[in-house]
Amino acid sequence: MRSQTAVRKVSLTGFRYVVEARILNMIKWTRIIIFVAIANPILYLLSIGIGVGSLIDSKDGLGGVEYLTFLAPALLATAAIQGMLDEVIFPTFEGFKWVKNFFAMNSTSLTGTDIAGGVFVAALLRTTFTVVIYWIALYFFGALDSPTAWLAIPAAIFAGASFGALIMALAARAKNEDVFMLITGRFIVMPMFLFSGTFYPLELMPTFLQWIGWISPLWHATDLGRFLTYGHQISTTTLIFHLIYMFALLVVGLYFAFHNYTKRLAK
Protein backbone atom coordinates (compact mmCIF):
# COMPACT_ATOMS: atom_id res chain seq x y z
CA MET A 1 0.00 0.00 0.00
CA ARG A 2 2.77 2.43 0.91
CA SER A 3 4.63 1.71 -2.33
CA GLN A 4 1.48 2.34 -4.36
CA THR A 5 0.95 5.64 -2.54
CA ALA A 6 4.55 6.64 -3.19
CA VAL A 7 4.25 5.82 -6.90
CA ARG A 8 1.01 7.78 -7.12
CA LYS A 9 2.67 10.76 -5.39
CA VAL A 10 5.59 10.70 -7.81
CA SER A 11 3.26 10.49 -10.79
CA LEU A 12 1.51 13.66 -9.67
CA THR A 13 4.42 15.77 -8.45
CA GLY A 14 7.46 13.96 -9.77
CA PHE A 15 9.01 17.07 -11.22
CA ARG A 16 9.58 18.54 -7.75
CA TYR A 17 12.14 15.83 -6.96
CA VAL A 18 14.12 16.92 -10.01
CA VAL A 19 13.77 20.55 -8.92
CA GLU A 20 15.12 19.62 -5.51
CA ALA A 21 18.08 17.78 -7.04
CA ARG A 22 18.89 20.72 -9.30
CA ILE A 23 18.69 23.22 -6.43
CA LEU A 24 20.96 21.07 -4.26
CA ASN A 25 23.42 21.07 -7.15
CA MET A 26 23.21 24.88 -7.40
CA ILE A 27 23.83 25.25 -3.67
CA LYS A 28 27.33 23.83 -4.22
CA TRP A 29 28.05 26.93 -6.31
CA THR A 30 26.28 29.47 -4.09
CA ARG A 31 29.21 31.89 -3.84
CA ILE A 32 29.80 31.91 -7.59
CA ILE A 33 26.08 32.30 -8.33
CA ILE A 34 25.78 35.27 -5.96
CA PHE A 35 29.00 36.85 -7.23
CA VAL A 36 27.91 36.59 -10.87
CA ALA A 37 24.41 37.85 -10.06
CA ILE A 38 25.90 40.97 -8.45
CA ALA A 39 28.96 41.54 -10.63
CA ASN A 40 27.22 41.28 -14.01
CA PRO A 41 24.76 44.15 -13.54
CA ILE A 42 27.36 46.41 -11.93
CA LEU A 43 29.84 45.90 -14.77
CA TYR A 44 27.16 46.38 -17.43
CA LEU A 45 25.83 49.49 -15.75
CA LEU A 46 29.26 51.04 -15.34
CA SER A 47 30.39 50.29 -18.89
CA ILE A 48 27.23 50.59 -20.98
CA GLY A 49 24.61 52.35 -18.90
CA ILE A 50 26.86 55.03 -17.43
CA GLY A 51 29.88 54.88 -19.72
CA VAL A 52 28.07 54.91 -23.07
CA GLY A 53 25.11 56.77 -21.56
CA SER A 54 27.34 59.72 -20.69
CA LEU A 55 28.08 60.15 -24.41
CA ILE A 56 24.39 60.40 -25.26
CA ASP A 57 23.30 63.93 -24.40
CA SER A 58 19.92 63.86 -26.12
CA LYS A 59 16.71 62.18 -24.98
CA ASP A 60 15.19 62.41 -28.45
CA GLY A 61 14.01 59.00 -29.57
CA LEU A 62 14.28 57.59 -26.04
CA GLY A 63 10.85 58.60 -24.84
CA GLY A 64 12.17 61.58 -22.91
CA VAL A 65 14.10 59.48 -20.37
CA GLU A 66 17.75 59.06 -19.51
CA TYR A 67 19.68 56.43 -21.45
CA LEU A 68 20.12 54.27 -18.35
CA THR A 69 16.35 54.21 -17.77
CA PHE A 70 15.83 53.32 -21.43
CA LEU A 71 18.41 50.54 -21.21
CA ALA A 72 17.30 48.99 -17.89
CA PRO A 73 14.39 46.80 -19.15
CA ALA A 74 16.58 45.42 -21.93
CA LEU A 75 19.34 44.50 -19.49
CA LEU A 76 16.83 42.74 -17.23
CA ALA A 77 15.37 40.75 -20.12
CA THR A 78 18.85 39.87 -21.38
CA ALA A 79 19.87 38.61 -17.94
CA ALA A 80 16.72 36.48 -17.74
CA ILE A 81 17.24 34.93 -21.17
CA GLN A 82 20.92 34.22 -20.60
CA GLY A 83 20.22 32.78 -17.15
CA MET A 84 17.55 30.44 -18.50
CA LEU A 85 19.78 29.28 -21.35
CA ASP A 86 22.61 28.38 -18.97
CA GLU A 87 20.27 26.43 -16.69
CA VAL A 88 18.48 24.45 -19.40
CA ILE A 89 21.28 23.77 -21.89
CA PHE A 90 24.01 22.47 -19.57
CA PRO A 91 21.75 20.27 -17.38
CA THR A 92 20.21 18.80 -20.54
CA PHE A 93 23.57 17.80 -21.98
CA GLU A 94 24.71 16.60 -18.58
CA GLY A 95 21.62 14.45 -18.18
CA PHE A 96 21.69 12.92 -21.65
CA LYS A 97 25.40 12.77 -22.53
CA TRP A 98 27.97 13.81 -19.93
CA VAL A 99 26.68 12.05 -16.79
CA LYS A 100 23.52 10.42 -18.22
CA ASN A 101 21.72 10.75 -14.91
CA PHE A 102 18.40 11.33 -16.71
CA PHE A 103 18.36 7.66 -17.65
CA ALA A 104 18.84 6.71 -14.01
CA MET A 105 15.96 9.02 -13.06
CA ASN A 106 13.81 7.55 -15.78
CA SER A 107 14.39 4.03 -14.46
CA THR A 108 12.30 5.05 -11.45
CA SER A 109 8.72 6.33 -11.57
CA LEU A 110 9.91 9.65 -13.02
CA THR A 111 8.85 10.27 -16.61
CA GLY A 112 10.50 12.36 -19.29
CA THR A 113 7.92 15.06 -18.63
CA ASP A 114 8.78 15.04 -14.91
CA ILE A 115 12.48 15.42 -15.65
CA ALA A 116 12.00 18.16 -18.24
CA GLY A 117 9.55 19.99 -15.99
CA GLY A 118 11.95 19.79 -13.05
CA VAL A 119 14.88 21.15 -15.05
CA PHE A 120 12.71 23.97 -16.37
CA VAL A 121 11.27 24.99 -12.98
CA ALA A 122 14.72 24.92 -11.34
CA ALA A 123 16.07 27.10 -14.15
CA LEU A 124 13.17 29.50 -13.65
CA LEU A 125 13.92 29.79 -9.93
CA ARG A 126 17.60 30.51 -10.60
CA THR A 127 16.63 33.07 -13.25
CA THR A 128 14.17 34.78 -10.92
CA PHE A 129 16.92 35.18 -8.34
CA THR A 130 19.26 36.66 -10.96
CA VAL A 131 16.65 39.09 -12.28
CA VAL A 132 15.70 40.32 -8.80
CA ILE A 133 19.37 40.99 -7.93
CA TYR A 134 19.78 42.75 -11.29
CA TRP A 135 16.68 44.87 -10.63
CA ILE A 136 18.00 45.90 -7.21
CA ALA A 137 21.30 46.99 -8.79
CA LEU A 138 19.42 48.99 -11.42
CA TYR A 139 17.33 50.63 -8.71
CA PHE A 140 20.36 51.77 -6.72
CA PHE A 141 21.95 53.12 -9.88
CA GLY A 142 18.87 55.30 -10.35
CA ALA A 143 17.61 53.56 -13.49
CA LEU A 144 14.21 52.64 -12.05
CA ASP A 145 12.45 55.54 -10.35
CA SER A 146 8.91 54.77 -11.53
CA PRO A 147 6.36 53.34 -9.06
CA THR A 148 5.66 50.57 -11.58
CA ALA A 149 9.31 49.78 -12.28
CA TRP A 150 9.03 46.44 -10.47
CA LEU A 151 6.79 45.19 -13.30
CA ALA A 152 9.91 44.86 -15.44
CA ILE A 153 10.79 41.79 -13.33
CA PRO A 154 7.89 39.55 -14.45
CA ALA A 155 8.25 40.84 -18.02
CA ALA A 156 11.90 39.78 -18.09
CA ILE A 157 11.21 36.41 -16.44
CA PHE A 158 8.42 35.79 -18.96
CA ALA A 159 10.88 36.30 -21.82
CA GLY A 160 13.46 34.05 -20.19
CA ALA A 161 10.90 31.29 -19.67
CA SER A 162 9.62 31.55 -23.24
CA PHE A 163 12.97 31.41 -24.94
CA GLY A 164 14.40 28.95 -22.42
CA ALA A 165 11.59 26.48 -23.11
CA LEU A 166 12.29 26.61 -26.84
CA ILE A 167 16.05 26.19 -26.47
CA MET A 168 15.51 23.38 -23.98
CA ALA A 169 13.44 21.52 -26.57
CA LEU A 170 16.18 21.95 -29.17
CA ALA A 171 18.95 20.94 -26.74
CA ALA A 172 17.12 17.69 -26.01
CA ARG A 173 17.46 16.76 -29.69
CA ALA A 174 21.05 17.93 -30.18
CA LYS A 175 23.64 15.22 -30.70
CA ASN A 176 26.76 17.41 -30.71
CA GLU A 177 26.83 19.89 -27.85
CA ASP A 178 29.76 21.89 -29.25
CA VAL A 179 27.99 22.58 -32.53
CA PHE A 180 24.72 23.32 -30.75
CA MET A 181 26.26 25.87 -28.37
CA LEU A 182 28.26 27.47 -31.20
CA ILE A 183 25.15 27.95 -33.32
CA THR A 184 23.02 29.07 -30.37
CA GLY A 185 25.58 31.57 -29.11
CA ARG A 186 26.80 33.10 -32.34
CA PHE A 187 23.83 32.85 -34.67
CA ILE A 188 20.87 33.16 -32.30
CA VAL A 189 21.74 34.85 -29.00
CA MET A 190 24.27 37.38 -30.29
CA PRO A 191 22.13 38.71 -33.21
CA MET A 192 19.12 38.78 -30.88
CA PHE A 193 21.07 40.84 -28.33
CA LEU A 194 22.34 43.29 -30.95
CA PHE A 195 19.22 43.71 -33.10
CA SER A 196 16.30 43.66 -30.65
CA GLY A 197 16.18 47.33 -29.72
CA THR A 198 18.45 46.71 -26.76
CA PHE A 199 20.70 49.75 -27.11
CA TYR A 200 18.47 51.93 -29.29
CA PRO A 201 14.85 51.87 -30.50
CA LEU A 202 14.13 49.09 -32.96
CA GLU A 203 12.52 51.47 -35.44
CA LEU A 204 15.88 53.27 -35.87
CA MET A 205 17.43 50.12 -37.31
CA PRO A 206 17.46 49.43 -41.05
CA THR A 207 14.17 47.88 -42.14
CA PHE A 208 15.85 44.72 -43.43
CA LEU A 209 17.15 44.00 -39.90
CA GLN A 210 14.05 44.85 -37.89
CA TRP A 211 12.53 41.41 -38.47
CA ILE A 212 15.13 39.98 -36.07
CA GLY A 213 13.58 42.05 -33.31
CA TRP A 214 10.03 41.15 -34.30
CA ILE A 215 10.68 37.43 -33.76
CA SER A 216 12.92 37.93 -30.74
CA PRO A 217 11.48 37.41 -27.24
CA LEU A 218 14.10 39.92 -26.07
CA TRP A 219 12.48 42.73 -28.05
CA HIS A 220 8.98 41.78 -26.90
CA ALA A 221 10.08 41.77 -23.25
CA THR A 222 12.13 44.95 -23.63
CA ASP A 223 9.32 46.87 -25.30
CA LEU A 224 6.87 45.58 -22.72
CA GLY A 225 9.28 46.43 -19.90
CA ARG A 226 9.73 49.97 -21.14
CA PHE A 227 5.96 50.39 -21.29
CA LEU A 228 5.61 49.12 -17.73
CA THR A 229 8.51 51.03 -16.20
CA TYR A 230 8.35 54.54 -17.62
CA GLY A 231 5.29 54.67 -19.85
CA HIS A 232 6.90 54.03 -23.23
CA GLN A 233 4.11 54.48 -25.74
CA ILE A 234 2.81 51.34 -27.43
CA SER A 235 -0.60 50.53 -28.84
CA THR A 236 -3.03 48.12 -27.20
CA THR A 237 -2.59 45.81 -30.19
CA THR A 238 1.18 45.77 -29.71
CA LEU A 239 0.79 45.11 -26.00
CA ILE A 240 -1.47 42.13 -26.64
CA PHE A 241 0.85 40.89 -29.38
CA HIS A 242 3.83 40.93 -26.96
CA LEU A 243 1.94 38.83 -24.42
CA ILE A 244 0.47 36.37 -26.92
CA TYR A 245 3.78 35.88 -28.72
CA MET A 246 5.75 35.07 -25.57
CA PHE A 247 2.98 32.86 -24.21
CA ALA A 248 2.78 30.93 -27.48
CA LEU A 249 6.56 30.50 -27.49
CA LEU A 250 6.41 29.20 -23.93
CA VAL A 251 3.63 26.70 -24.63
CA VAL A 252 5.18 25.40 -27.86
CA GLY A 253 8.63 25.22 -26.29
CA LEU A 254 7.43 23.25 -23.27
CA TYR A 255 5.37 20.91 -25.41
CA PHE A 256 8.34 19.93 -27.54
CA ALA A 257 10.70 19.90 -24.56
CA PHE A 258 8.47 17.33 -22.82
CA HIS A 259 8.11 15.37 -26.06
CA ASN A 260 11.83 15.39 -26.90
CA TYR A 261 12.90 14.42 -23.38
CA THR A 262 10.46 11.51 -23.35
CA LYS A 263 11.43 10.37 -26.84
CA ARG A 264 15.17 10.48 -26.16
CA LEU A 265 14.83 8.62 -22.85
CA ALA A 266 12.90 5.88 -24.64
CA LYS A 267 15.82 5.03 -26.92
Side-chain angles (χ1 to χ4, degrees):
M1 181 66 71
R2 286 186 177 181
S3 62
Q4 291 178 349
T5 302
V7 170
R8 190 179 302 112
K9 185 178 180 181
V10 170
S11 66
L12 294 175
T13 61
F15 75 94
R16 72 184 179 89
Y17 295 102
V18 182
V19 173
E20 182 180 351
R22 290 295 310 146
I23 291 177
L24 288 174
N25 183 268
M26 293 177 195
I27 290 175
K28 298 177 183 178
W29 311 98
T30 299
R31 293 182 180 180
I32 295 177
I33 290 173
I34 294 176
F35 174 77
V36 171
I38 295 174
N40 271 351
I42 291 177
L43 292 175
Y44 262 108
L45 291 170
L46 289 176
S47 61
I48 304 297
I50 295 177
V52 175
S54 64
L55 303 176
I56 301 175
D57 57 4
S58 174
K59 297 179 181 179
D60 295 340
L62 300 181
V65 298
E66 298 291 340
Y67 184 67
L68 188 56
T69 301
F70 171 82
L71 187 64
L75 293 180
L76 274 180
T78 300
I81 288 174
Q82 188 59 59
M84 280 296 295
L85 294 191
D86 290 343
E87 286 299 330
V88 298
I89 290 177
F90 291 106
T92 297
F93 286 131
E94 178 185 57
F96 284 121
K97 291 198 66 176
W98 301 336
V99 181
K100 298 186 177 181
N101 55 345
F102 285 172
F103 296 96
M105 294 179 187
N106 192 230
S107 67
T108 67
S109 299
L110 292 174
T111 65
T113 298
D114 292 329
I115 298 170
V119 171
F120 181 80
V121 171
L124 197 59
L125 293 174
R126 162 77 186 277
T127 298
T128 299
F129 171 78
T130 299
V131 171
V132 170
I133 295 297
Y134 216 125
W135 187 93
I136 292 172
L138 288 167
Y139 177 81
F140 281 109
F141 270 81
L144 301 166
D145 56 1
S146 167
T148 60
W150 65 271
L151 292 172
I153 294 176
I157 294 172
F158 195 9
S162 300
F163 194 61
L166 181 63
I167 295 300
M168 183 178 173
L170 296 175
R173 286 184 57 87
K175 303 301 182 183
N176 188 312
E177 62 270 29
D178 293 330
V179 173
F180 178 83
M181 287 190 281
L182 175 66
I183 294 175
T184 302
R186 294 192 179 183
F187 299 103
I188 299 178
V189 175
M190 186 58 69
M192 181 175 66
F193 183 59
L194 294 176
F195 305 121
S196 295
T198 308
F199 302 107
Y200 39 79
L202 184 66
E203 56 270 20
L204 297 183
M205 289 178 52
T207 304
F208 69 92
L209 289 176
Q210 290 185 19
W211 67 270
I212 299 177
W214 297 336
I215 65 173
S216 164
L218 177 56
W219 174 69
H220 290 281
T222 297
D223 205 43
L224 181 61
R226 286 169 180 158
F227 167 74
L228 294 172
T229 53
Y230 62 84
H232 166 64
Q233 296 297 312
I234 60 176
S235 66
T236 302
T237 302
T238 301
L239 174 62
I240 295 174
F241 177 61
H242 288 327
L243 296 173
I244 291 177
Y245 182 85
M246 289 193 289
F247 181 75
L249 203 63
L250 174 63
V251 172
V252 171
L254 285 178
Y255 172 81
F256 282 104
F258 295 158
H259 172 78
N260 292 344
Y261 263 62
T262 301
K263 183 177 181 180
R264 189 161 181 176
L265 286 169
K267 292 182 178 180

